[in-house]
Every structure is written in C-alpha cells, then in structure tokens.
C-alpha cells in the first residue's frame, strides 16, 4: 500500500505564476486530493480558499512550511480536464493559473478572510437547521458588510469559512465581490402534508377528527388530493400557498398548521420557470434545414469546428435543438454559449419546452447559491446532472464530465472577449480547446461571421454550412436609406428623425405592428458644451467627456462611474449657454413620446437592464405587444426574436464607423445587419430605414444588399495590406501608472527591449483613445506576429522580456498587463 502524501501544491487566487507548497497534517491525511478546495493561511494572518493541484511526498525546501487547515470538499470540485484547460488558458493568455482559478469558480466557492459578507434580506432564518449557523446569520444580518476576518473576531471563532459556505448554500448570504444592486432572490410560500400523517390510515384518522370543522376538512382533502402519486399513494408534495388561498381562508391554513397536519415553508423560485411539466418534440425541419443538418453531420466526420452561416431568421436555433437532442441520446452534455445575458430568457424557454429540467442556466445575474448549484449539477451524478448548459462566456469554466458539443451562437460578438480582469480570454476561441480536451465538436452560428472565422472556413480549417433563405421563405427585409443631410437642408428633420422614418413609424403602429429603433449610445446626450468658449465637462479621474443622463439629471462617466450635477454655467468663462451635443437612447425615448402621443415606448440599454429581472420584464412586455416602440443599443442586435416587428430604424449609421479601430467597418456591418434582421421574421417582409449623412458609403450598400461576401472581400484585402488579423496574431501590452512621466519612461524601455527581439513587429508606445481611466494613465505597445511564425515562442519571449524589464527600478509602481488577441 502506498504511503500517504505529505505535501500538497495549492493554487491560490493570486496573479503570481506559481503554486504554493503546504504540509498535509496527519488528521487530514488522504482527504487532501487534487481538485479539492482547502483552507490555507497565506502571510501573517489571512486565510484563503485554495485548490489542490497535486500531492506528493518530496519535501519542499521551505522553512516553517504551513499546514493545510481544512478540506472543504468530500469529492474533487475541479476535474483533471478542467485543470488542463486552466493551465492552457494561463499559458495562452499570459496570466497566472491563480487568476484563472479566481475567474472560474463562483464567488461562493472561493472565500477568503477579506471577503465581505452581506445578508439576503428576503431569507427566512427558520430554514437553517443548525443553531450555530442561525446565530452566525443573525450576526451578519446585524453587521452587514463585515469581512470574514472581522466576523471571526466578533463571533470568537477562528475559522468561519466552512460556516459561511453553508450559509451561501442556503442563499442566506452573499459575497460582496459580486454586483447585486437591486437583485433579490424571489421566494414563494409553500405548504405540504406533515411527515407524521403520510400513511393512508393516518390521513383518514385526521380527516375524521376534522368532522366538526368542515372548512378545515375540505382544505385537508384538497391538499391530500394534490399530494397523491400516480398510483394514489400520499407523498410529500410542495404546493404554492397562493394556489390554496384562492379557495381557502388563512385561518383554516393556520389551524391545520397548528394541529401539525400540514407544514408551511418557503422556497426560492427562478425568474425563469423551471417547473416544466410537459415537453414536446422538436419542430420538424424544413428541407433547407435538413440539408444543413446533413452537411453538419458529414462535416463533423472530418472537422472539429463548423461555421453555420445562416441569414437572420433562417432557423439556426431549431437546428441547434435537433443537434442537442442527438447529443442527449448519446448521453453527452452540450454547452450552448450566448453573447448576452438578455438572450437567455428567450432561448431557455425554447430549450425547456423540448428538454425540460435538463437545461441549466449560468451567468452572473444569478445569485451565488444558484451558480454554485448549477456548478455542482454540471458534474453531478447521472440522474441529477444537467445535460445542457446555457450560458455566457464564463460557462466554459463549468465542470463538464462528458461534453459532446459546444454551440457558440452569434460567434462574431465581441462580448465573448473578456477585457478585464485577467484572464483576458475569448470564450469562442477557448471553447475550441475545451472541446478538443473532451473530444467534442464546436458549431459556430451567425448571420455575420467574424472575418477571421470566415477566412478559416474558406481555407478549409473549419467546415462551412450555409443557410441562404429565411424560415418559411419569408423575404429578407426591405432596406431603405434616408439622407439626414438632405433632410436638414430642407429643415424637415424632427428631432433626430427623418421624414421617411417618421412616416414609416406612423404606418407601422397604425397597422398594429411594432417598431425597433437602434441607437448605439445610451444616455440623453453624448456630452454637454458651453457654446461660448467650447468648455466640455470631463471626468475628474478619466480623460473622457461626461455623458448627460436626463432621468437622473446627472453627468456620468461610462468608464469609472463618476457622476456630478449638470453645471448651470461654464466653469471656464461663466457663460450660461450650456447645450447638449449628440444623442443617446434616453433622448430618443423622450422624443418618441413627444412626437407620437399615445404610442407606448420602452428602452433597452445598460441603464434600464442592470438587474436580473428588469431586462426580462422589458422584453416580455414587448413580446406580449404591450409596447409599440422599443428603443435600444446593441443589446437589440443579439438574436432577439419578435414576430410582430415590422420596422427597424437605425438612427445614426455614421457614428459606428467613426472609431479608430481596424474592426470598425466589420463591426458596423455586423451591427446593422443583425439589427435589420429583427424586422419581418414571421410571415410578411419587414422594412428597415437606415439614417445617414453619407448615403454613398459602401458599407451601407453592403447592408442594404445583404452582401456579406463583398464586405469580406474589401476587408480581407485591406487587412492583408496593413498586416491585421487573420494575417497576423496580436498581443497588446498596456502599462498603467498614476503619473505620466514615469509611465512614459517605462513604456519606452519595454518597447526598446521588445524591438531588440521582435524588430518592426513592435508598434508604440502610444496612448489609447481614452488615455487615463480611474486616475491611471495608460500607454499601449502592440506586437504583431506573422501567422507563419511560432505564436507560442513569441509569447514565451515576450513573457521573458516583461519579467526582465519589470525588475528594473524604472518599473516601480508601473503595472504591466498583457492582452492576447485583444480585439
């Protein structure tokens, strides 16, 4: 028999590229295993949740090696494939494995002594079965926001991490590192038969004793009837109290509870209905979809990745559903990635109609408790395991055990890219590595592929399947161009609307149809300016103008959140000629109400959809026809499906192009094509009106003609000339410091060292569009690596250069961040 391991290498959530050695005390022995979480001390007094990477018996050469204090898991929480995926991600995206660990697990699974704990105000403490946990909950309720370290002092208990974890499992408390705002866990009161009367004879005796209380007898009879299994035997069944109080009084319910014939409690309920009682078979595919399915099947024989390039409303989602069904019949799991949380409610309802409670949802708007539950059920036993996970980019970190297929819907969306903090990964690209580890396949779906994706499909690296017709042969929308400059010359503009768009809105609403208006800028106006001297209020800690929000009557920074009151006069010259410049969704919403009295309007942007329920409420209201016009930002472009939308208006096509980014043309095309695709999806051809000051723009004519191929040919030729992806790979190094002078010295030194190795492939340093954010000045250095060169070797060389130069005195307090594939 092998002797037990004496030491463990532990991953801690730090941006340090190493594991940390700890001794395994005798009392923990074999319970310390790879993939389990452990409590360890780091530094003088701080406690952290770490993850065991490996155990061994070779003594590390470290004086006074600390012991592992506690093991949190009975079985491994992270499997070996996850570990390999984390290590690949850390290597490829040039970050520490500890940073991947921090991103990969829900907050409730990686507590540390400085985590701050908040109570869930809607939680009923009577649900807690242990007195010590109940006492701790009341301590947190009376002292919200304390760190675990502070709670330990207050309660007199040295380590509270295990108890806090149990309270998180109850949904009793939250970890503050998670954004909550107005999020609350929905609860409903339920009743059930008491355990002591579940035998048939006990039920009959109880009914006989209520002969003198007919209303109570009638109530108990109904509860019994709703608690019988298909064979007529009584069982424990939770019945919503609201369904009982419709026909019975609270007094009768209380009386039965007092007599211990029924039990009352509460349970959490999801904002999306999980109680699917009946499922249906997937809809029958049309001939074009069947042909696409056949090509996907044959393509997966030779390729691991296939691009499904289908025009908007061509029925890609139904193809996904049929592929998912095939995977489930093979007892395999499916990961369905979406670019936006707002899409999950529509897609999950379609999936649950077919697959019922086999679908799990995973994104940041769910509570820690809910995310932990989904995490555990992804790797759970076969009966309880989720077969399908629907989620945003963070869902790639879940502990899949038998992954067969990854679907990346709207694969072109830049929201699959994590920009801050590390790891700065792209979920679309990372999903291919995850699939390879599991021997799974990847399907990329979109109407407007990313340039690199389409190039890979044309070169044969990916398979390529096309859907060129809309479902049921509905015509693509009729796209018309409206000249803003001409309307202004004729003084025919009404606010930000051209006459043709005004007329189209009237006609559409009069016909009982709905309208979507797209403006990719939130707020009321882009900024305010004094017309006398040109002064513009700017953020105090970022180099950016402040956006005016009329509803809150504030100027706000969209980078750091800084706010201030709207000035009544210029702070430079004292003038009172303060005026609004540019426009956002808030102004559009306001002006719709003025121009179209009686028309119902709603707005969908970051300001109106910050909470878990708000965006679902807006979309549900629009879907039910309770709103005539929906105004929104790019959230509207991401695959939403509303059958009654007949008109889409794009209010400012030029604004998207005027951005210093090599992807500006591509992304403008994608946004306009996607939002245009929301029109006329059911039976009748829709209409799109694009407002622009330059009707001759090639881009707008590509959108009008639905001509992705021409847009691609233009862009691929331009990128080859100027050395941009897909012809090169890029790494952006960002340096940050609170003073510009030392930052510039450090950036120049790093760029010089990089040029010694990489030569003309190095560009910069240069300031980004916004040169200071949250009091930190920024400088970027860009490295371009040709496709024929080894990208792995380039990353290693760059890491060595950063490590070497960062030890220099000139890098004191300078932060250096690497972003691989940054755009």
């Amino acid at each position: 028999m092998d002797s037990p391991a004496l030491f463990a290498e532990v991953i801690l959530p730090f941006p340090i590229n190493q594991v940390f050695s700890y001794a395994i005390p005798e009392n923990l022995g074999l319970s310390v295993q790879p993939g389990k979480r452990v409590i360890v001390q780091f530094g003088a007094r701080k406690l952290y949740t770490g993850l065991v990477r490996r155990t061994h018996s070779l003594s590390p050469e470290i004086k006074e090696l600390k012991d592992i204090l506690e093991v949190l898991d009975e079985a491994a929480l992270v499997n070996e494939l996850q570990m390999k995926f984390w290590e690949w991600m850390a290597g490829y995206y040039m970050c520490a494995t500890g940073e991947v660990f921090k991103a990969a697990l829900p907050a409730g699974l990686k507590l540390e002594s400085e985590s701050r704990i908040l109570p869930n105000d809607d939680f009923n403490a009577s649900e807690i079965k242990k007195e010590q946990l109940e006492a701790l909950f009341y301590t947190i309720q009376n002292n919200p926001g304390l760190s675990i370290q502070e709670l330990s002092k207050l309660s007199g208990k040295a380590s509270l991490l295990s108890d806090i974890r149990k309270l998180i499992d109850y949904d009793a408390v939250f970890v503050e590192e998670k954004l909550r705002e107005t999020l609350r866990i929905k609860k409903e009161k339920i009743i059930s038969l008491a355990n002591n009367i579940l035998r048939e004879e006990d039920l009959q005796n109880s009914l006989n004793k209520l002969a003198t209380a007919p209303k109570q007898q009638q109530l108990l009879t109904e509860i019994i009837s709703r608690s019988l299994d298909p064979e007529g035997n009584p069982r424990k069944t939770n019945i919503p109290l609201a369904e009982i109080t419709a026909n019975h009084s609270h007094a009768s319910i209380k009386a039965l509870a007092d007599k211990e014939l029924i039990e009352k409690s509460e349970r959490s309920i999801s904002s999306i209905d999980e109680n699917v009682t009946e499922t249906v078979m997937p809809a029958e595919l049309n001939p074009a979809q069947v042909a696409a399915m056949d090509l996907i099947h044959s393509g997966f024989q030779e390729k691991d990745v296939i691009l499904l390039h289908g025009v908007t409303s061509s029925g890609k989602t139904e193809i996904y559903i049929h592929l998912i069904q095939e995977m489930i019949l093979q007892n395999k799991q499916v990961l369905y990635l979406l670019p936006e949380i707002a899409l999950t409610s529509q897609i999950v309802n379609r999936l649950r109609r077919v697959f019922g409670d086999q679908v799990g949802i995973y994104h940041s708007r769910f509570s820690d408790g809910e995310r932990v539950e989904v995490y555990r059920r992804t790797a759970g036993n076969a009966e309880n395991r989720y077969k399908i996970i629907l989620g945003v980019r963070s869902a790639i970190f879940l502990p899949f055990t038998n992954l067969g297929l990854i679907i990346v819907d709207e694969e072109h969306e830049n929201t699959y890219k994590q920009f801050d903090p590390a790891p700065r990964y792209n979920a679309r690209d990372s999903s291919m590595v995850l699939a390879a580890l599991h021997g799974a396949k990847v399907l990329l779906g979109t109407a407007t592929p990313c340039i690199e994706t389409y190039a890979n499909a044309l070169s044969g690296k990916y398979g390529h399947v096309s859907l060129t017709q809309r479902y049921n042969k509905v015509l693509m929308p009729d796209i018309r161009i409206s000249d803003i400059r001409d309307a202004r010359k004729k003084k025919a503009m009404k606010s930000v609307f051209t006459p043709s768009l005004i007329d189209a809105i009237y006609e559409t609403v009069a016909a009982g149809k709905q309208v979507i208006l797209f403006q990719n800028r939130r707020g009321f106006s882009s900024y305010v300016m004094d017309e006398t001297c040109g002064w513009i209020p700017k953020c105090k800690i970022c180099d950016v103008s402040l956006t005016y929000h009329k509803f809150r009557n504030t100027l706000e920074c969209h980078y750091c959140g800084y706010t201030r009151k709207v000035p009544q006069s210029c702070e430079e010259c004292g003038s009172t000629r303060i005026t609004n410049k540019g426009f956002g969704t808030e102004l559009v919403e306001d002006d719709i109400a003025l121009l179209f009295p009686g028309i119902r309007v709603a707005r969908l942007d970051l300001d109106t959809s910050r909470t878990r329920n708000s965006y679902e409420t807006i979309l549900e209201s629009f879907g039910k026809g309770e709103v005539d016009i929906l105004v929104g930002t790019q959230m509207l472009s991401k695959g939403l499906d509303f059958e009654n939308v007949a008109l889409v208006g794009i209010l400012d096509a030029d604004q998207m192009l005027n951005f210093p980014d090599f992807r500006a043309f591509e992304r403008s095309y994608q946004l306009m094509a996607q939002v245009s695709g929301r029109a006329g999806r059911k039976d009748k051809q829709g209409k799109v009106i694009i407002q622009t000051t330059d009707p001759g723009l090639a881009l707008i004519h590509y959108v009008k003609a639905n001509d992705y191929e021409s847009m691609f040919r233009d862009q691929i030729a331009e990128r080859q000339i100027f050395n941009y992806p897909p012809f090169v790979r890029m790494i952006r190094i960002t340096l940050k410091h609170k003073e510009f002078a030392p930052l510039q010295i450090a950036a120049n030194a790093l760029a010089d060292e990089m040029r010694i190795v990489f030569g003309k492939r190095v560009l910069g340093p240069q300031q980004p569009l916004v040169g200071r954010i949250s009091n930190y000045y920024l400088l970027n250095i860009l490295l371009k690596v040709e496709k024929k060169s080894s990208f792995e070797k380039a990353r290693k060389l760059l890491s060595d250069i950063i490590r070497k130069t960062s030890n220099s005195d000139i890098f004191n307090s300078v932060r250096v961040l690497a972003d691989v594939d940054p755009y």
Side-chain angles (χ1 to χ4, degrees):
M1 182 176 176
D2 293 338
S3 57
L6 302 174
F7 307 99
E9 294 177 1
V10 176
I11 300 169
L12 290 174
F14 305 145
I16 303 171
N17 222 348
Q18 69 173 83
V19 291
F20 299 87
S21 294
Y22 285 86
I24 302 174
E26 276 188 40
N27 64 309
L28 296 181
L30 294 174
S31 65
V32 178
Q33 297 289 336
K36 289 186 179 183
R37 290 171 304 147
V38 290
I39 301 299
V40 295
Q41 183 180 340
F42 189 85
R45 285 185 294 275
K46 292 182 181 177
L47 300 180
Y48 290 90
T49 299
L51 191 82
V52 179
R53 180 62 187 104
R54 58 179 59 87
T55 59
H56 58 86
S57 300
L58 186 63
S59 177
E61 295 180 5
I62 300 173
K63 293 181 180 179
E64 299 180 10
L65 196 65
K66 293 184 174 71
D67 282 353
I68 288 174
L69 302 176
E70 190 175 351
V71 179
L72 292 178
D73 303 307
E74 292 181 8
L77 187 78
V78 176
N79 61 48
E80 184 59 26
L81 286 179
Q82 281 178 284
M83 293 278 202
K84 290 180 179 178
F85 182 54
W86 290 10
E87 286 163 357
W88 168 83
M89 182 172 281
Y92 184 85
Y93 288 107
M94 298 178 66
C95 65
T97 309
E99 291 175 294
V100 182
F101 165 49
K102 192 166 185 175
L105 296 188
L109 293 177
K110 48 182 171 55
L111 297 173
E112 55 192 63
S113 56
E114 291 186 336
S115 296
R116 297 198 171 271
I117 308 300
L118 297 169
N120 175 9
D121 295 334
D122 295 332
F123 182 74
N124 183 352
S126 64
E127 293 183 32
I128 301 173
K129 305 304 179 188
K130 292 185 177 179
E131 286 185 17
Q132 66 184 47
L133 289 182
E134 189 175 5
L136 178 57
F137 173 73
Y138 285 126
T139 301
I140 294 168
Q141 198 172 48
N142 294 326
N143 303 275
L146 291 184
S147 70
I148 296 179
Q149 206 166 15
E150 290 165 339
L151 283 169
S152 293
K153 288 180 183 177
L154 195 62
S155 65
K157 187 174 179 182
S159 176
L160 286 178
L161 292 181
S162 294
D163 290 346
I164 295 290
R165 178 177 59 82
K166 290 170 185 172
L167 287 178
I168 289 171
D169 290 342
Y170 273 115
D171 266 339
V173 299
F174 301 136
V175 181
E176 193 180 46
E177 63 191 272
K178 176 137 168 40
L179 179 64
R180 298 239 158 254
E181 295 194 0
T182 56
L183 176 62
R184 289 289 181 268
I185 305 300
K186 286 186 178 180
K187 297 278 188 178
E188 70 173 349
K189 293 182 178 179
I190 54 174
I191 59 173
S192 59
L193 290 173
N195 289 326
N196 61 339
I197 64 164
L198 284 178
R199 291 187 307 169
E200 194 170 338
E201 55 268 34
D202 293 329
L203 287 174
Q204 192 56 54
N205 289 337
S206 299
L207 285 170
N208 293 338
K209 290 177 182 177
L210 294 174
T212 56
K215 290 184 178 179
Q216 294 175 36
Q217 189 182 55
Q218 186 182 4
L219 170 58
L220 185 59
T221 301
E222 180 176 339
I223 295 171
I224 292 170
S225 68
R226 295 182 62 165
S227 303
L228 300 177
D229 64 21
E231 284 148 20
N233 300 313
R235 61 182 175 182
K236 193 87 171 174
T237 304
N238 293 325
I239 305 167
L241 183 62
E243 295 178 11
I244 296 296
T245 53
N247 299 313
H248 302 278
S249 69
H250 286 282
S252 297
I253 295 167
K254 184 178 184 303
L256 291 187
D258 291 343
K259 292 173 182 176
E260 297 184 349
L261 299 176
I262 63 171
E263 295 174 355
K264 296 166 67 177
S265 58
E266 284 186 336
R267 68 179 175 191
S268 300
I269 55 172
S270 170
S271 60
I272 301 169
D273 182 20
E274 295 186 8
N275 298 314
V276 180
T277 53
E278 292 184 10
T279 57
V280 298
M281 292 297 292
E284 190 173 337
L285 299 180
N286 65 21
Q289 290 170 315
V290 170
M293 280 283 288
D294 291 342
L295 288 172
I296 290 169
H297 287 141
S298 60
F300 276 147
Q301 298 297 315
E302 300 178 2
K303 309 285 184 186
D304 291 329
V305 181
I306 289 178
L307 168 64
L308 177 58
H309 183 189
V311 298
T312 55
S313 197
S314 56
K316 294 186 290 296
T317 306
E318 205 58 51
I319 289 176
Y320 301 158
I321 288 172
H322 280 258
L323 289 169
I324 291 169
Q325 187 181 47
E326 291 174 359
M327 286 294 115
I328 289 177
L329 289 174
Q330 296 173 41
N331 200 30
K332 292 187 175 179
Q333 291 175 299
V334 177
L335 171 59
Y336 189 142
L337 288 175
L338 293 166
E340 186 73 50
I341 291 171
L343 289 177
T344 54
S345 57
Q346 281 203 340
I347 300 296
V348 78
N349 288 333
R350 288 185 68 173
L351 293 181
R352 282 208 169 124
R353 276 199 298 270
V354 178
F355 303 111
D357 60 5
Q358 297 181 95
V359 182
I361 310 162
Y362 192 80
H363 59 64
S364 60
R365 293 246 172 101
F366 279 10
S367 74
D368 287 327
E370 287 170 307
R371 295 178 78 203
V372 168
E373 181 187 357
V374 173
Y375 187 96
R376 293 187 185 282
R377 284 190 59 184
T378 304
N381 59 58
E383 291 180 4
N384 195 40
R385 185 185 305 147
Y386 281 128
K387 301 294 193 302
I388 308 155
I389 292 293
L390 184 72
V392 291
R393 61 176 181 254
S394 59
I396 65 170
F397 294 117
L398 289 170
F400 298 99
T401 54
N402 192 18
L403 191 60
L405 176 67
I406 300 177
I407 296 167
V408 185
D409 199 14
E410 310 295 354
E411 66 84 25
H412 64 278
E413 285 288 351
N414 68 337
T415 45
Y416 282 122
K417 170 71 176 174
Q418 162 93 358
F419 292 101
D420 260 322
R424 295 171 180 84
Y425 66 98
N426 187 305
R428 176 199 61 208
D429 301 343
S430 300
S431 70
M432 297 175 198
V433 177
L434 178 65
L437 287 169
H438 284 267
K441 303 295 184 182
V442 178
L443 184 67
L444 309 174
T446 180
T448 55
C450 169
I451 294 287
E452 291 92 317
T453 300
Y454 198 64
N456 283 331
L458 293 183
S459 71
K461 183 178 180 180
Y462 301 163
H464 185 205
V465 178
S466 295
L467 279 170
T468 57
Q469 284 189 337
R470 285 184 146 192
Y471 189 75
N472 282 344
K473 297 185 178 179
V474 174
L475 292 174
M476 294 295 290
D478 173 21
I479 300 178
R480 302 179 185 182
I481 300 170
S482 188
D483 190 338
I484 295 174
R485 190 175 297 170
D486 183 61
R488 282 177 180 158
K489 283 180 183 176
K490 295 176 180 177
K491 300 191 184 304
M493 289 288 290
K494 291 186 178 179
S495 179
V496 296
F497 305 99
T498 57
S500 57
L501 183 53
I502 292 276
D503 293 342
I505 291 172
Y506 272 122
E507 291 169 9
T508 304
V509 176
K513 298 291 185 178
Q514 292 172 297
V515 179
I516 284 177
L517 296 177
F518 172 71
Q519 169 61 8
N520 201 27
R521 193 183 296 275
R522 61 190 173 100
F524 189 84
S525 64
S526 304
Y527 59 96
V528 298
M529 184 179 80
D530 172 31
E531 291 190 324
T532 304
C533 72
W535 172 75
I536 298 171
K538 291 190 174 183
C539 178
K540 287 186 175 182
I541 57 177
C542 305
D543 285 341
V544 66
S545 57
L546 298 171
T547 301
Y548 174 46
H549 288 256
K550 184 180 177 183
F551 177 74
R552 294 188 287 272
N553 195 32
T554 56
L555 295 175
E556 300 182 11
C557 176
H558 288 174
Y559 285 86
C560 71
Y562 167 80
T563 63
R564 60 163 290 178
K565 291 182 179 179
V566 180
Q568 299 302 306
S569 61
C570 174
E571 294 178 4
E572 295 287 339
C573 70
S575 164
T576 56
R577 297 179 64 196
I578 306 291
T579 186
N580 296 317
K581 297 291 181 180
F583 70 96
T585 49
E586 198 176 358
L587 181 144
V588 177
E589 181 187 30
D590 260 23
D591 285 356
I592 286 289
L594 293 172
L595 291 169
F596 303 95
I599 285 181
R600 300 164 298 177
V601 61
R603 175 163 51 96
L604 183 67
D605 57 26
L606 186 62
D607 294 323
T608 62
S609 61
R610 290 184 183 275
T611 66
R612 171 171 157 185
N613 298 321
S614 55
Y615 65 86
E616 289 178 1
T617 302
I618 293 166
L619 293 178
E620 184 180 352
S621 180
F622 189 65
K624 289 179 177 177
E626 297 167 356
V627 171
D628 301 308
I629 300 176
L630 183 61
V631 179
T633 56
Q634 61 179 318
M635 295 173 81
L636 293 173
S637 70
K638 302 180 194 297
L640 296 173
D641 188 5
F642 297 107
E643 61 183 43
N644 199 40
V645 174
L647 173 67
V648 167
I650 298 173
L651 300 179
D652 187 4
D654 313 320
Q655 170 246 324
M656 292 179 280
L657 274 169
N658 298 326
F659 197 77
D661 183 347
F662 76 94
R663 289 199 190 278
F665 198 98
E666 173 193 4
R667 286 189 174 148
S668 297
Y669 176 89
Q670 289 165 340
L671 271 172
M672 285 194 273
Q674 289 284 345
V675 78
S676 297
R678 303 314 107 203
R681 297 174 68 87
K682 184 66 175 176
D683 45 23
K684 191 176 178 182
Q685 184 182 28
K687 183 188 289 187
V688 178
I689 294 179
I690 300 176
Q691 294 189 161
T692 176
T693 58
D694 189 356
L697 280 172
L699 169 71
I700 290 174
H701 287 277
Y702 293 154
V703 175
K704 178 176 168 58
N706 190 38
D707 190 357
Y708 175 86
E709 301 284 345
S710 293
M711 186 279 295
F712 174 80
R713 284 195 299 270
D714 275 6
Q715 286 300 288
I716 205 75
E718 189 174 293
R719 292 190 189 186
Q720 188 167 22
I721 293 169
F722 294 105
N723 248 10
Y724 280 109
F727 301 100
V728 297
R729 307 289 291 275
M730 299 198 300
I731 303 174
R732 183 176 61 206
I733 308 300
T734 299
L735 294 92
K736 306 171 74 171
H737 195 279
K738 290 192 174 182
E739 296 179 27
F740 186 73
L743 174 68
Q744 194 168 35
I745 293 169
N748 286 330
L750 178 56
D752 289 344
E753 288 291 328
M754 289 173 63
R755 285 191 179 93
I756 293 172
V757 176
F758 296 109
K760 293 181 180 180
R761 299 179 182 90
V762 179
L763 304 177
Q766 61 183 18
Q767 277 194 291
L769 185 63
V770 179
R772 184 174 63 115
I773 296 177
S774 297
N775 271 333
Y776 279 90
Y777 290 95
L778 310 175
L779 283 173
N780 289 337
I781 303 170
L782 192 64
L783 174 64
K784 292 183 176 181
V785 182
E786 303 89 344
K787 271 294 182 72
K788 63 184 179 183
S789 301
S790 168
F791 197 49
E792 182 179 357
K793 185 178 179 182
R795 294 195 310 272
K796 185 178 185 308
L797 288 169
L798 180 57
S799 294
D800 291 342
I801 292 168
I802 292 171
R803 195 178 303 114
K804 173 187 167 185
T805 53
S806 295
N807 290 329
S808 167
D809 290 342
I810 62 173
F811 275 78
N812 186 31
S813 300
V814 175
R815 295 179 62 194
V816 182
L817 309 173
D819 190 354
V820 178
D821 303 331
Y823 297 100

